[in-house]
């Protein structure tokens, strides 16, 4: 379909669906969600002249995956986001089956988007073009077309360019699958964003000491933090273990050192970025104040998505909260971006036995706690968190079977920070050393209900969006 027809269809979809989606009590109070249809990966996250831009994979026509558009929001404070003109519409033959994920850089004071033009053929095969688009004075994006066809030696699955600058040159990592069905990350280099030269695979299944490690790696991101190079990626096809890799696909990171000259990336073990039920395709940017910020998609491809109850209201999925990354003591930490503290209302403080804790209720809340022993926390009667002294277990009824399903963290629990919205929860463990994110679909108002003998130290804040003066 041409761009005008696609935009007319999009207008109709919004006019019909947006009032219904907006009235859904499960819609987040302060997390980003699509106005209608399906949202997946965060794309093109960047800050320029104080304003953050966050683009997103968007199917405005249905709650299923399809030929993706790029939606676009912007914000000066990471809290209040405004809609910007739709950035990319999949109207050209080189992106016929979607403007897939990618990133943004600044060139000559203009935002340039680098994304994947996804093309599927009737015989089931596919190809991928890495493409550019550049901002114009109306905050729309003019397409410059493909700059990189499918590289030799890979299946049609090559996508999700993340581009950054280093020593005056542009570098790109791409998620890929090679002809032996091994997931890989390819490094490329360019002097002008137009001509790209491959430096080969820098990480992947059967590389750098990894054995079989997935048939496809999606959404790579590579950046420096405290002198380390962190490679984020989403391997698909890792077999589930007793307490890890329990989602359909995983999102995690390796810590290493990228040798830009040799194009080698020796690295350590793979760590999951989030141990909850929904977290995938995260993307980071460096804010103008130097912080490394991350948004993730609070969803997982192919994980019973269409059974989520918001589908009946014509929308599905949300972003995570924006998170600040840091690296210390050999570990990556994620904390809610400090701006989120502005959502806090009046603080309540309580100390005592878990069984005696007051029942906090709110629409959306932040809870901070310390404990000296086992306890159980029930959220809105829909999700529970249990600490038994060695293991933290997050449980909820499965959307399809209604049987309880679980996710785990092990360690020495010192503190929890829980951010909860109408249909999501993000649990930051020990100052962000681990995180568990999940969607949940309560039929009751949010409440925090504690049981157990442990002594608790609790702080509680209702969360609400501050009014802009
Ligand atoms: C990850 C992903 C990407 C792709 C996009 C398509 O969720 O599969 O690899 O670019 O979603 O929407």
């Amino acid at each position: 379909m041409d761009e005008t027809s696609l935009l007319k269809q999009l207008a109709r979809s919004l006019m019909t669906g947006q009032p219904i989606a907006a009235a859904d009590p499960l819609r987040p109070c302060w997390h980003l969600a699509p106005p209608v249809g399906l949202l997946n990966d965060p794309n093109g996250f960047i800050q320029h002249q104080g304003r953050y831009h966050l683009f997103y994979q968007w199917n405005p026509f249905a709650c299923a995956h399809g030929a993706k558009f790029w939606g676009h929001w912007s914000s000066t404070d990471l809290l209040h986001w405004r809609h910007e003109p739709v950035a990319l519409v999949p109207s050209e033959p080189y992106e016929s089956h979607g403007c897939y994920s990618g990133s943004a850089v600044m060139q000559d004071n203009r935002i340039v988007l680098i994304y994947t033009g996804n093309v599927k053929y009737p015989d089931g095969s596919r190809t991928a073009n890495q493409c550019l688009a550049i901002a114009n004075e109306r905050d729309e994006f003019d397409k410059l077309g493909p700059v990189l066809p499918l590289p030799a030696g890979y299946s049609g699955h090559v996508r999700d360019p993340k581009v950054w600058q280093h020593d005056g040159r542009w570098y790109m990592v791409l998620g890929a699958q090679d002809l032996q069905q091994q997931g890989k990350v390819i490094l490329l280099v360019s002097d002008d964003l137009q001509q790209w030269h491959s430096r080969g695979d820098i990480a992947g299944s059967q590389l750098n000491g990894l054995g079989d490690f997935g048939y496809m790696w999606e959404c790579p991101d590579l950046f420096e933090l405290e002198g380390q190079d962190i490679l984020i990626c989403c391997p698909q096809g890792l077999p589930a273990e007793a307490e890890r890799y329990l989602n359909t696909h995983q999102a995690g990171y390796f810590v290493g050192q990228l040798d830009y000259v040799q194009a080698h990336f020796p690295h350590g073990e793979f760590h999951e970025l989030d141990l909850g039920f929904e977290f995938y395709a995260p993307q980071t940017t460096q804010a103008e104040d130097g912080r490394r910020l991350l948004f993730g998609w609070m969803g997982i491809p192919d994980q019973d998505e269409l059974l989520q109850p918001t589908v009946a209201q014509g929308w599905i999925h949300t972003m995570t909260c924006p998170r600040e990354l840091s690296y210390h003591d050999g570990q990556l930490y994620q904390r809610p971006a400090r701006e989120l503290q502005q959502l806090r209302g009046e603080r309540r403080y309580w100390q005592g036995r878990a069984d005696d804790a007051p029942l906090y209720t709110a629409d959306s809340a932040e809870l901070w706690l310390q404990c000296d022993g086992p306890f159980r926390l029930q959220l809105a009667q829909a999700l529970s968190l249990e600490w038994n002294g060695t293991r933290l277990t997050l449980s909820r009824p499965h959307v399809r079977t209604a049987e309880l399903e679980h996710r785990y963290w092990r360690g020495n629990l010192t503190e929890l920070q829980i951010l909860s919205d109408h249909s999501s929860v993000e649990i930051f463990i020990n100052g962000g050393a681990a995180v568990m994110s999940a969607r949940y679909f309560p039929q009751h108002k949010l409440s925090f209900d504690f049981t157990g003998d442990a002594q608790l130290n609790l702080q509680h804040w209702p969360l609400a969006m501050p009014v802009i003066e």
Side-chain angles (χ1 to χ4, degrees):
M1 235 189 277
D2 64 48
E3 183 162 287
T4 309
S5 305
L6 284 166
L7 289 171
K8 287 178 183 171
Q9 297 292 339
L10 181 142
R12 178 178 67 169
S13 178
L14 278 172
M15 287 185 282
T16 316
Q18 203 266 342
I20 301 165
D24 186 350
L26 293 174
R27 256 187 107 69
C29 157
W30 53 273
H31 282 86
L32 286 164
V36 293
L38 174 142
L39 164 148
N40 56 305
D41 314 354
N43 291 157
F45 186 25
I46 196 164
Q47 189 186 23
H48 175 55
Q49 294 181 343
R51 181 165 284 279
Y52 292 97
H53 295 266
L54 183 70
F55 302 81
Y56 56 101
Q57 287 288 285
W58 186 26
N59 180 1
F61 301 139
C63 290
H65 292 273
K68 299 290 166 58
F69 292 54
W70 275 40
H72 179 190
W73 289 299
S74 80
S75 168
T76 54
D77 61 4
L78 293 173
L79 302 173
H80 300 86
W81 293 89
R82 74 178 187 212
H83 291 290
E84 297 292 345
V86 173
L88 297 173
V89 172
S91 55
E92 301 298 325
Y94 57 76
E95 57 190 13
S96 55
H97 291 72
C99 299
Y100 272 15
S101 285
S103 52
V105 295
M106 296 307 306
Q107 192 186 37
D108 300 332
N109 222 23
R110 293 212 274 174
I111 300 182
V112 178
L113 306 180
I114 308 98
Y115 67 99
T116 302
N118 180 45
V119 177
K120 292 186 185 170
Y121 300 112
D123 67 0
S125 65
R126 60 160 85 201
T127 192
N129 301 293
Q130 312 312 321
C131 308
L132 296 185
I134 185 161
N136 65 28
E137 54 294 341
R138 295 182 303 284
D139 298 322
E140 295 163 9
F141 285 83
D142 297 326
K143 291 178 187 166
L144 302 178
V147 291
L148 182 73
L150 189 69
Y154 300 90
S155 74
H157 291 278
V158 174
R159 55 179 171 264
D160 311 334
K162 178 79 195 304
V163 177
W164 73 101
Q165 212 165 19
H166 178 84
D167 281 349
R169 306 191 80 185
W170 297 105
Y171 288 86
M172 176 195 289
V173 275
L174 275 173
Q177 176 183 64
D178 70 15
L179 297 175
Q180 286 72 45
Q181 264 84 59
Q182 303 293 322
K184 293 279 152 72
V185 171
I186 316 173
L187 179 72
L188 299 101
V189 61
S190 168
D191 288 317
D192 55 7
L193 295 176
Q194 301 273 344
Q195 299 273 337
W196 288 95
H197 307 280
S198 176
R199 304 296 322 275
D201 299 335
I202 54 158
S205 181
Q206 303 289 0
L207 273 185
N208 302 333
L210 288 180
D212 273 341
F213 215 78
Y215 57 81
M216 170 65 191
W217 286 22
E218 296 188 315
C219 299
D221 190 350
L222 204 156
F223 53 89
E224 200 229 290
L225 199 60
E226 309 293 341
Q228 308 291 325
D229 291 318
I230 313 274
L231 173 67
I232 289 182
C233 58
C234 297
Q236 302 193 317
L238 301 187
E241 296 179 5
E243 294 189 1
R244 54 176 196 168
Y245 309 156
L246 293 172
N247 290 326
T248 310
H249 304 302
Q250 322 308 322
Y253 67 96
F254 298 95
V255 180
Q257 289 291 336
L258 177 61
D259 180 336
Y260 282 83
V261 178
Q262 301 294 328
H264 284 160
F265 180 65
H267 60 70
E269 277 172 44
F270 180 73
H271 303 276
E272 286 182 86
L273 264 170
D274 192 296
L275 299 167
F277 291 101
E278 274 92 18
F279 182 87
Y280 198 69
Q283 192 176 89
T284 73
T285 194
Q286 185 160 33
E288 288 169 337
D289 62 11
R291 285 180 297 168
R292 180 59 56 172
L293 299 176
L294 172 147
F295 268 103
W297 169 35
M298 242 196 285
I300 306 265
D302 313 320
Q303 193 165 282
D304 288 313
E305 296 173 80
L306 285 172
L307 298 179
Q308 294 191 13
T310 65
V311 169
Q313 313 305 318
W315 69 280
I316 183 168
H317 299 312
T318 75
M319 292 295 174
T320 63
C321 71
R323 302 176 182 177
E324 292 182 25
L325 301 187
S326 59
Y327 184 85
H328 49 95
D329 308 322
Q331 212 181 336
L332 189 66
Y333 285 76
Q334 297 175 65
R335 281 175 173 276
R338 60 196 71 165
E339 284 84 346
L340 295 174
Q341 293 173 14
Q342 294 166 43
L343 302 175
R344 290 175 176 171
E346 197 182 331
R347 183 178 83 123
R348 287 164 68 191
Y349 176 74
W350 188 84
Q351 208 171 9
R353 235 173 114 239
D355 274 334
D356 303 330
L359 185 73
Y360 292 119
T361 54
D363 277 340
S364 165
E366 177 174 345
L367 188 93
W368 187 86
L369 79 82
Q370 289 173 317
C371 64
D372 73 351
F375 70 91
R376 187 163 185 270
L377 167 61
Q378 179 90 15
L379 259 93
Q381 299 173 38
L383 190 113
S384 74
L385 191 64
E386 187 162 356
W387 170 241
N388 70 1
T390 54
R391 185 170 83 166
L392 192 65
T393 307
L394 181 67
S395 311
R396 68 176 184 191
H398 193 286
V399 273
R400 181 162 36 81
T401 63
E403 274 172 32
L404 279 186
E405 52 176 349
H406 311 284
R407 295 292 182 270
Y408 309 99
W409 173 81
R410 277 181 192 273
N412 177 20
L413 182 64
T414 55
E415 79 179 51
L416 289 177
Q417 183 184 7
I418 302 178
L419 296 182
S420 162
D421 202 333
H422 296 163
S423 55
S424 68
V425 61
E426 288 160 274
I427 301 163
F428 295 85
I429 303 164
N430 291 355
V435 192
M436 297 174 118
S437 303
R439 299 296 306 287
Y440 71 122
F441 305 105
Q443 297 180 349
H444 303 274
K445 198 177 166 79
L446 174 63
S447 59
F448 293 100
D449 192 358
F450 286 95
T451 45
D453 283 334
Q455 287 292 318
L456 301 182
N457 235 328
L458 298 179
Q459 297 187 72
H460 172 275
W461 296 264
L463 297 182
M465 197 58 91
V467 177
I468 301 180
E469 302 292 315

